[in-house]
Amino acid sequence: MTFWKRNILPEDDAEVVCSALQDVLVSLIDLGLQGKQAHWNLYGPDFQSLHEKLDAIVETARMSSDEVAERMNQLGIAPDGRRNTVAESSPLENYPTGFQPVPEALHLVGDRLHTAVETIRTARKTVADPDPMTEDLLIAISQQVEEHLWMIQAQEHNVAGGEASKLP
């Protein structure tokens, strides 16, 4: 049941849209947390550039998760960004503990960005028909996350000596 008495969308549509947004929300929250974990535990050549890039990724994840949560509020359904919810439902693999060399961190971060992009794109398809406004929001977020993925992959390619990245 939606919270607001003057709903923007029919209740069934709001539930479908917010379910998709909830998936994106936990992915973005987790991306931000894992980005900081990578930021703190990085070493090796090209440290500085990746260290700074990770801050930009974290900022995008945090700002975007706020936009997603606020859209859910606008539609009358409460977002759930609690730690247990994020831990239990994020599609991102856990980031490993300990220090990671730059080449490994690039690979790990690239994989997590790729998973986040897939989650956002899937949600975009789900919300397109019932709520084009939310689709626009997800397109804008996806563009930002995909730009980070592109830059990480370019840096990964450079660090690997010109080898193509090997995403599953």
Side-chain angles (χ1 to χ4, degrees), residues 21-47:
L21 287 174
Q22 180 64 36
D23 293 342
V24 172
L25 178 64
V26 297
S27 294
L28 291 169
I29 291 170
D30 198 14
L31 182 63
L33 292 170
Q34 291 198 41
K36 269 303 183 188
Q37 183 68 21
H39 174 85
W40 295 323
N41 294 292
L42 183 65
Y43 73 92
D46 294 329
F47 163 84

Side-chain angles (χ1 to χ4, degrees), residues 102-137:
V102 168
E104 182 63 17
L106 284 164
H107 177 75
L108 292 166
V109 171
D111 284 352
R112 279 138 190 85
L113 284 164
H114 187 254
T115 300
V117 165
E118 287 178 329
T119 302
I120 297 164
R121 284 178 162 261
T122 297
R124 187 208 53 82
K125 290 176 188 172
T126 300
V127 307
D129 184 49
D131 190 15
M133 297 291 284
T134 298
E135 180 186 26
D136 286 349
L137 172 66

